[in-house]
Structures are given as C-alpha cells and as structure tokens.
Amino acid sequence: MSLAEMVAALLAGPQPIPIVTAGNTVLRRPAEPYDGQLGDDLLSELIEAMRVCMHEAPGVGLAAPQIGIPLQIAVLEDPATIPPELAAYRHRYPLDFRVIVNPRYTAVGTERAAFYEGCLSVPGYQAVVDRPASVLLECLDENGTAVQEQFDGWSARIVQHETDHLGGTLYLDKALTRSLTDNDQYTSLWGGLPITVARSGLGF
Ligand code: ZN
C-alpha cells in the first residue's frame, strides 16, 4: 500500500483517528521525509484530521507516526490554558497552530530546562525531560516554504518532542526515569510544584 493509499484509508475511517501507542514499530522507525507523496489535497485533509485528533486528545502536538503514518509531518498548538503562575514557571505561553514538515532542531545557547512532560502515545504517565531551553527549528511549512525560527520555553519543548517522534524517539528515551509518575500520583503529589520537590522526593 502506498503512503497516499494509507492516508486515504485512514481518512475514510473513524474520526478522530485513533492514536498509536508505545510498542508499535511505527513509533520507533525514522519517518520518511515528506516530498509530495500525498499531493496537495490529501496533505491538507491529513493536516486537518491531525488537528482534530490533537484537539480531541487533547494534546499540544501530534506527529504523523502517532496515527500510523511514517512521514515527517507534525502539528503543534498550545492554548496554554494553565494558571498564570504555573505558565510563568514553565515559560509556557500560547503557541499558534502550525505544521512542521521535515523538521530539524539545534540547541541555541547552553541553557537547559527540566520539566515533566507526557505523550499521547504513552498514556497515563509523565516524566521529567532535561532539554535545551531554546532551539532553532528548520523545517518546511505545509506549503513547502522553508522556515527558520527560534523557539523558547515550553514551545521549544513541544518542537523538540514532536521532531523527536519523527526520528523514532519517544520522550521516555530522554527522560530521567526515576521521575516517572502516573497521572494520579502527579496530580496529587507533584503537579504545580517546583521540579525540585519531585527531585528530592523521587531521587532523580
Ligand atoms: Zn508524543
């Protein structure tokens, strides 16, 4: 089956498209660079279906392999609807909807940021990932236009997380594994607190 046929079959199936979870090989293989395999109309339909899937989940990013499509395409959008003091602590501010195609990122400067993050493909858990605080993203947009843009704070984390998916990497590969917490424990013990509290409690 060609990639275009795979996408057409997915779009003809139930919506929102079900999310593929960890253990599926599609999440572990580098995705193919997008080079027009779908054509403009099918690409637009795929992007819209990914946007709906991300909103319904809900999540702040979704990479094509997470719906079973091994192409280097991801969607990002973060309304950042969290309390202002938490937003300030995480440097988490709204990120408008955008599509990234064939993305690469490089760290800008040496500053790092360690925060809990989760993944729609690893439901029920969160873990701390220490990442570059700022990155330069190089990619194409959905129209094939080259983009070079710096991202900081939580937006930089989303860019890295989704770009990593397209290389077959899950956030757990980079996580401080002793920080792993299920969502219930996170909510009752660590949510909204400085990361140092979880660090001393869990020993990471
Ligand atoms: Zn993810």
Side-chain angles (χ1 to χ4, degrees), residues 4 87 134 146 192-193:
S134 299
L193 297 173

Side-chain angles (χ1 to χ4, degrees), residues 27 61-63 66 117-122 131 161-162 165 169-171:
L27 293 172
L62 184 76
Q66 293 183 275
E117 65 182 74
C119 178
L120 298 174
S121 293
V122 189
R131 295 184 179 276
H161 181 115
E162 299 310 327
H165 267 303
T169 295
L170 294 176
Y171 85 98

Side-chain angles (χ1 to χ4, degrees), residues 2-204:
S2 72
L3 283 162
E5 286 166 338
M6 282 174 66
V7 169
L10 208 52
L11 294 172
Q15 305 293 318
I17 299 169
I19 292 174
V20 173
T21 49
N24 191 305
T25 55
V26 73
L27 293 172
R28 289 317 204 164
R29 296 193 192 117
E32 274 184 42
Y34 182 69
D35 187 22
Q37 293 95 324
L38 304 182
D40 291 350
D41 291 348
L42 198 55
L43 176 64
S44 296
E45 287 178 50
L46 174 64
I47 288 167
E48 177 57 18
M50 288 175 68
R51 194 181 68 85
V52 168
C53 184
M54 172 176 68
H55 287 170
E56 289 289 319
V60 295
L62 184 76
Q66 293 183 275
I67 52 167
I69 302 298
L71 281 172
Q72 290 186 25
I73 300 169
V75 294
L76 324 174
E77 184 177 11
D78 185 10
T81 45
I82 58 172
E85 56 289 357
L86 193 56
Y89 178 61
R90 292 181 177 171
H91 303 286
R92 182 172 175 178
Y93 303 106
L95 173 67
D96 288 342
F97 178 78
R98 66 165 60 218
V99 181
I100 61 174
V101 175
N102 303 341
R104 299 287 177 271
Y105 65 81
T106 46
V108 175
T110 55
E111 192 187 339
R112 311 278 300 185
F115 288 107
Y116 271 100
E117 65 182 74
C119 178
L120 298 174
S121 293
V122 189
Y125 290 90
Q126 300 183 50
V128 172
V129 188
D130 184 351
R131 295 184 179 276
S134 299
V135 293
L136 179 68
L137 170 70
E138 295 175 86
C139 67
L140 303 176
D141 69 12
E142 62 272 45
N143 302 311
T145 305
V147 174
Q148 245 198 9
E149 189 174 344
Q150 181 173 329
F151 289 83
D152 307 298
W154 205 261
S155 297
R157 180 168 300 270
I158 297 169
V159 163
Q160 292 173 71
H161 181 115
E162 299 310 327
T163 302
D164 288 352
H165 267 303
L166 301 178
T169 295
L170 294 176
Y171 85 98
L172 287 172
D173 302 334
K174 296 182 169 182
L176 302 169
T177 49
R178 287 191 63 106
S179 70
L180 185 72
T181 172
D182 75 15
N183 286 343
D184 290 341
Q185 300 291 350
Y186 179 79
T187 301
S188 61
L189 296 175
W190 317 120
L193 297 173
I195 209 75
T196 45
V197 179
R199 180 173 282 144
S200 66
L202 298 174
F204 59 86

